[in-house]
Amino acid sequence: MQHGKYGFITGFLAAPLGLYALFVIWPFIQSIYYSFTDWTGLSPEFSMVGVDNYTRMLHDDIFWKSLTHSLLFALLLPLVTLGMALFFAFMINVGGRHRKGGPVVTGVRGSGFYKIVYFFPQVLSIAIVALLFAFAYNPDSGAINSFLRGIGLDSLQPLWLGDPSLALWCVMAVLVWSTTGFFVVLFSAGMASIPAELYEAALLDGAGRATTFFRVTLPLLWDTVQSGWVYMGILALGAESFAVVQIMTTGPGGPDYSTTVLVLYVYQKAFRDGQAAYATTIGVALLVVTLAFAAIVMRLGRRERLEY
Amino acid sequence: MGSTGQHGSEGVGRRELIKRSAAIGLVAAPGMGLLSACASSGGDGQDKAKAGKKTAKNPLGVNDTAKLDFVLFDGGFGKEYAEDAVKLYEKDFPKAQVKFSATQKIQSTLQPRFNQGNPPDLIDNSGAEQMDMGVLVGKKQLADLTPLLDAPSYDDPSKKVRDTLRPGIVEMGQFDGDPVWILNYAYTVYGVWYSQKALDGLDEKYPETWDDMLKVCAKAKKKGIAGWTYAGKYPYYLPFSLYPMIAKVGGREVLDAIDNLEPNAWKHPAVKACFEAYYELFQKGYILRGTPGLDHIQSQTAWAKGKALFIPNGSWVENESANVIPADFDLAVSAPTGIDSSDKMPFGTIWASGGEPFVVPAKAANPEGGMEQLRVMLSEASSRNFTSKVKSLSALNGGIDGIELTPGLKSGVAALDKAGDNVVNPRIPDWYVQLEKEKIGVGGLGEMMAGRLTPAETVKKIQGFADEAAKDTSIKHYKHK
């Protein structure tokens, strides 16, 4: 019966593996192949040029700027987003004071309402969010500067997206705004499944909010936080950062390249400048960065599992 | 129990995550791969239609049964004008089948077809997804339109199509040498756009020298109106008035040298003088506050609301901002203000050139049909239809008799009349897109007008960009003849 079993497994695996190879692995291999050519993307003719594209990339200032910004996105965004999400989730689920007759572990007053409010931005498509904020950042008639004028700060009228030293932070703030809610809900779900006895025991021992958070909640939530970190980092390297940068800081990626990111640069080279081969080269660099990011986070995040 | 326990002893699965990271995070790389699949599958393309017999009525020798495949950019000008022209073609060739489609996504629709070698017969290659003309020409993907230009015109058989076109249209279709690859169907007047009513309100005329310009701006400022605004997020709108000003101050050769990427072209004194003049607008506070953070629509809206007097723009602004320009605005365009009477060219020197580029692919199945369709569009009737529908001039010289011109269009025609031979046509925007938009525009002029670079620093920075582009072997270089 042994070979019968293998036949059975192979039969089931063949189709998905084949699809995976065809639609995931093969395009990767092709991309790497095309990064060694001078293909324009606008004609079927091309020839091999060796590592020319790679040498060019290493001497390309805009590539390095894009890489720096992409790395900033991948490191800072998860830090801020997850940090805020953890804080909010903790306050919603655990941080409340004990009220007479109520459960021992509870969130702050109105926590159910907060949970919904935090999740709101998640319902909107990232393109809509980016557009809304592009209007809000309008230095002439946007909501933010109008508010500043309204409270008497007439002299303080930053250019926001028009200022190279602010533009990148403006874009990042939008991503934080739009993704925090998702992680609040994710962490809330994680916290809900931590046994209440552990909190009761901690409270009996006289632990305050901070101690409870760092000694009980965070360690038991560690796996969720870690996968959230990788997920957020990949979003920040890929699709989300592309959408906000492309929509909000139109042009080449902000004033004086202040917000350009790797994905945007790939897109511009392939679909604006007719340099598809060079675009695939940058795509390969992005692949390396993303894999390295995931590997490092998994490696640093490794710690002993707690059973409960 | 516990949320994390359910994932088994491996936790969330380290390998799973890395795999996912490869799959999700790198949309870019496999996307490029899928696109590249097109390149390798490219065959020899479709069979060419046999050419028909050349007659007086059919000077290009169109095969009257061949299909015609026409793809139009559906942008600011809409698609009605082209649909009307297609009807005329169908009337001339009743047996021909015309497949007409309009899209805003020119590149995503057509890139795979170019890669497979079966592009359409006529394309309006325009809009945000315009395919790079330099690359198309360099890779020999376009047909030479000389037969069309040498064919008799649609209305008058004694005149060649070439002789019915506005100045600059033929040159703009050339890149290097004689072949004409592109026919720009629209004709755009660039310059300084303003409300005649607002200017009358200040009791001022359009200023011809820079001292007068500063005086008008000072007067406006006292009334709480900014002198200028521009598309701060796209500072490559500034050249619409700045380039012709450079030509006016220093002569056409200065612009030609810039187009040719000659060493030190930007260090010409005329360039610096014009940069300093514009910089003075910033220094004296004559630029609408917040302008560097506005995009083209936002700045045009602020200007239409009367918050600023002048805006550098092209003649499409009348159609594009039609819904915010008040009825009594009295839209007008002027050639750029110069420095003073020592300028090399007279006041009136203006930038006007073709827009809405039409091309016939080299591998088209029915290139004669594509060119014939263009010949139809360049007829008096089609051109008039275009102008009255979209408020823009066409490439056909004349063809505006009997239509009531809108204020902006009327003022554009008057500016062209005044300019006479003093029409300049800088080529850097169509020869070197990235250099023009990102580097000179955003990296140089935008930074200067926001006050973050001095004119001297800007000249140095832009000259550096130009030298870089001149050395870059990955882009094709062009020169004025």
Side-chain angles (χ1 to χ4, degrees):
Chain A
M1 284 306 279
Q2 278 301 314
H3 47 271
K5 188 175 101 189
Y6 285 126
F8 181 75
I9 293 173
T10 320
F12 262 94
L13 279 182
L17 276 181
L19 284 176
Y20 186 74
L22 183 65
F23 289 111
V24 180
I25 309 285
W26 181 239
F28 271 106
I29 295 173
Q30 267 203 322
S31 298
I32 295 171
Y33 168 71
Y34 281 107
S35 71
F36 294 103
T37 69
D38 66 351
W39 182 47
T40 58
L42 288 170
S43 101
E45 289 112 42
F46 59 84
S47 49
M48 298 300 288
V49 294
V51 293
D52 278 11
N53 285 325
Y54 288 89
T55 13
R56 180 180 163 201
M57 183 170 81
L58 294 180
H59 293 101
D60 185 346
D61 289 345
I62 306 170
F63 166 75
W64 289 110
K65 268 194 184 172
S66 312
L67 180 65
T68 319
H69 295 153
S70 280
L71 289 178
L72 259 182
F73 266 94
L75 296 178
L76 270 186
L77 270 185
L79 195 69
V80 177
T81 314
L82 299 191
M84 283 171 62
L86 269 174
F87 174 74
F88 290 141
F90 181 76
M91 293 314 276
I92 285 174
N93 292 286
V94 189
R97 272 174 217 285
H98 177 56
R99 288 185 284 274
K100 258 194 196 135
V104 181
V105 183
T106 170
V108 293
R109 216 174 277 273
S111 56
F113 173 71
Y114 291 138
K115 213 187 274 186
I116 294 173
V117 169
Y118 287 141
F119 198 70
F120 266 160
Q122 199 62 35
V123 182
L124 298 173
S125 122
I126 186 73
I128 296 173
V129 171
L131 264 182
L132 283 178
F133 272 89
F135 285 123
Y137 281 129
N138 177 338
D140 176 45
S141 56
I144 302 177
N145 276 4
S146 301
F147 172 74
L148 288 178
R149 269 197 293 268
I151 58 170
L153 287 172
D154 213 25
S155 56
L156 189 69
Q157 297 281 304
L159 293 172
W160 301 118
L161 296 169
D163 186 337
S165 54
L166 286 179
L168 190 67
W169 307 113
C170 292
V171 170
M172 281 195 186
V174 173
L175 277 187
V176 170
W177 183 84
S178 68
T179 42
T180 302
F182 172 78
F183 290 102
V184 170
V185 172
L186 181 75
F187 293 151
S188 293
M191 286 178 195
S193 61
I194 295 173
E197 302 94 80
L198 293 177
Y199 286 115
E200 281 167 14
L203 284 175
L204 282 177
D205 288 345
R209 276 178 184 152
T211 322
T212 321
F213 176 76
F214 284 108
R215 292 294 164 86
V216 181
T217 311
L218 192 58
L220 292 178
L221 211 59
W222 188 249
D223 276 344
T224 320
V225 173
Q226 198 184 18
S227 33
W229 188 285
V230 174
Y231 179 71
M232 187 64 211
I234 289 169
L235 275 189
L237 279 171
E240 305 261 304
S241 69
F242 173 79
V244 282
V245 172
Q246 166 81 358
I247 295 171
M248 292 174 63
T249 63
T250 28
D256 212 15
Y257 300 105
S258 55
T259 60
T260 178
V261 285
L262 279 181
V263 263
L264 181 76
Y265 200 40
V266 170
Y267 172 81
Q268 287 176 334
K269 282 290 151 195
F271 299 107
R272 185 194 61 194
D273 300 340
Q275 299 175 0
Y278 187 47
T280 55
T281 313
I282 304 163
V284 171
L286 184 56
L287 170 74
V288 173
V289 169
T290 314
L291 285 180
F293 169 78
I296 290 171
V297 171
M298 300 318 292
R299 182 91 206 152
L300 291 182
R302 202 187 319 187
R303 53 150 76 192
E304 266 185 54
R305 296 180 50 73
L306 292 159
E307 294 292 339
Y308 52 89
Chain B
M1 62 180 287
S3 62
T4 51
Q6 294 160 356
H7 296 287
S9 56
E10 268 288 311
V12 180
R14 205 155 286 140
R15 278 182 303 165
E16 179 56 30
L17 272 167
I18 294 179
K19 247 192 317 190
R20 241 183 270 163
S21 72
I24 305 169
L26 293 151
V27 193
M32 289 309 304
L34 287 178
L35 178 65
S36 57
C38 311
S40 41
S41 65
D44 284 336
Q46 71 239 64
D47 298 327
K48 294 236 173 204
K50 255 193 223 138
K53 235 176 106 190
K54 290 190 185 182
T55 61
K57 269 208 78 178
N58 183 8
L60 288 164
V62 178
N63 177 343
D64 63 352
T65 57
K67 276 188 205 151
L68 178 71
D69 189 346
F70 179 3
V71 178
L72 182 91
F73 168 67
D74 188 2
F77 293 142
K79 57 180 179 180
E80 231 181 294
Y81 75 95
E83 281 170 341
D84 294 343
V86 166
K87 277 180 208 140
L88 291 178
Y89 181 92
E90 283 171 327
K91 219 165 96 192
D92 291 345
F93 302 97
K95 279 185 273 178
Q97 243 183 10
V98 183
K99 191 182 145 215
F100 173 80
S101 50
T103 174
Q104 298 204 354
K105 304 205 163 289
I106 288 292
Q107 179 139 13
S108 13
T109 319
L110 296 181
Q111 191 161 12
R113 295 187 62 182
F114 269 95
N115 275 321
Q116 280 163 10
N118 65 339
D121 304 310
L122 180 61
I123 304 167
D124 170 13
N125 181 21
S126 188
E129 277 205 16
Q130 181 182 54
M131 293 178 286
D132 191 298
M133 294 286 192
V135 175
L136 287 176
V137 172
K139 288 282 168 181
K140 304 195 168 40
Q141 294 295 308
L142 300 182
D144 182 5
L145 299 177
T146 305
L148 164 70
L149 295 172
D150 288 335
S153 77
Y154 196 82
D155 301 302
D156 181 359
S158 67
K159 256 194 196 164
K160 283 183 186 175
V161 169
R162 182 189 293 279
D163 302 325
T164 63
L165 301 177
R166 286 185 188 276
I169 292 288
V170 174
E171 294 90 87
M172 266 202 91
Q174 297 171 326
F175 274 74
D176 217 0
D178 288 329
V180 178
W181 308 109
I182 302 160
L183 195 125
N184 287 283
Y185 188 62
Y187 197 69
T188 305
V189 178
Y190 302 91
V192 182
W193 293 79
Y194 59 96
S195 154
Q196 186 63 52
K197 189 187 156 209
L199 217 50
D200 290 346
L202 289 174
D203 223 5
E204 285 287 348
K205 279 200 312 232
Y206 184 84
E208 297 195 7
T209 66
W210 205 254
D211 283 341
D212 288 346
M213 171 57 86
L214 295 174
K215 250 195 323 218
V216 172
C217 289
K219 212 165 173 184
K221 197 181 179 186
K222 274 197 203 112
K223 286 200 165 182
I225 305 169
W228 284 63
T229 188
Y230 59 92
K233 279 193 192 173
Y234 310 98
Y236 45 86
Y237 275 51
L238 285 164
F240 296 159
S241 59
L242 186 57
Y243 285 177
M245 179 180 180
I246 291 172
K248 174 171 162 31
V249 174
R252 278 175 208 275
E253 322 76 71
V254 187
L255 283 189
D256 285 354
I258 286 175
D259 287 344
N260 290 342
L261 301 180
E262 280 168 25
N264 296 326
W266 289 90
K267 295 199 172 150
H268 194 282
V271 176
K272 185 134 182 278
C274 294
F275 278 18
E276 272 163 357
Y278 270 54
Y279 189 65
E280 215 173 341
L281 294 176
F282 162 79
Q283 281 179 315
K284 296 216 156 111
Y286 296 154
I287 307 258
L288 177 69
R289 192 159 77 168
T291 292
L294 304 181
D295 67 18
H296 60 304
I297 299 290
Q298 291 164 343
S299 61
Q300 282 163 206
T301 305
W303 160 79
K305 280 187 193 159
K307 289 189 186 174
L309 274 184
F310 302 116
I311 192 168
N313 222 316
S315 43
W316 61 78
V317 68
E318 187 167 31
N319 213 17
E320 192 170 56
S321 288
N323 54 344
V324 286
I325 294 180
D328 60 348
F329 193 74
D330 209 359
L331 178 67
V333 60
S334 169
T337 308
I339 303 277
D340 53 35
S341 55
S342 68
D343 291 353
K344 293 262 169 60
M345 291 174 84
F347 177 75
T349 301
I350 203 165
W351 177 0
S353 66
E356 222 54 25
F358 281 73
V359 292
V360 176
K363 290 188 179 151
N366 182 11
E368 296 85 13
M371 289 189 213
E372 175 66 19
Q373 174 69 73
L374 271 177
R375 199 173 75 98
V376 172
M377 290 172 68
L378 289 169
S379 69
E380 186 90 11
S382 282
S383 164
R384 210 171 359 213
N385 184 36
F386 175 76
T387 303
S388 55
K389 278 204 170 120
V390 304
K391 301 177 189 151
S392 167
L393 296 174
S394 83
L396 184 77
N397 206 349
I400 48 171
D401 313 325
I403 5 180
E404 202 189 323
L405 298 179
T406 48
L409 197 51
K410 206 180 203 168
S411 151
V413 173
L416 281 179
D417 283 345
K418 184 173 166 60
D421 286 337
N422 297 319
V423 171
V424 293
N425 185 2
R427 300 302 302 277
I428 237 187
D430 51 308
W431 283 351
Y432 308 105
V433 178
Q434 195 203 359
L435 174 65
E436 167 74 9
K437 292 192 169 172
E438 277 187 26
K439 303 202 160 157
I440 298 171
V442 183
L445 300 177
E447 291 298 287
M448 179 179 88
M449 292 307 280
R452 293 188 288 258
L453 284 181
T454 65
E457 285 165 347
T458 314
V459 167
K460 204 170 148 225
K461 195 172 177 192
I462 292 180
Q463 186 60 55
F465 289 141
D467 292 342
E468 234 171 67
K471 273 191 301 196
D472 190 344
T473 49
S474 65
I475 48 181
K476 196 166 159 47
H477 297 112
Y478 302 98
K479 282 217 166 8
H480 281 278
K481 275 191 290 183

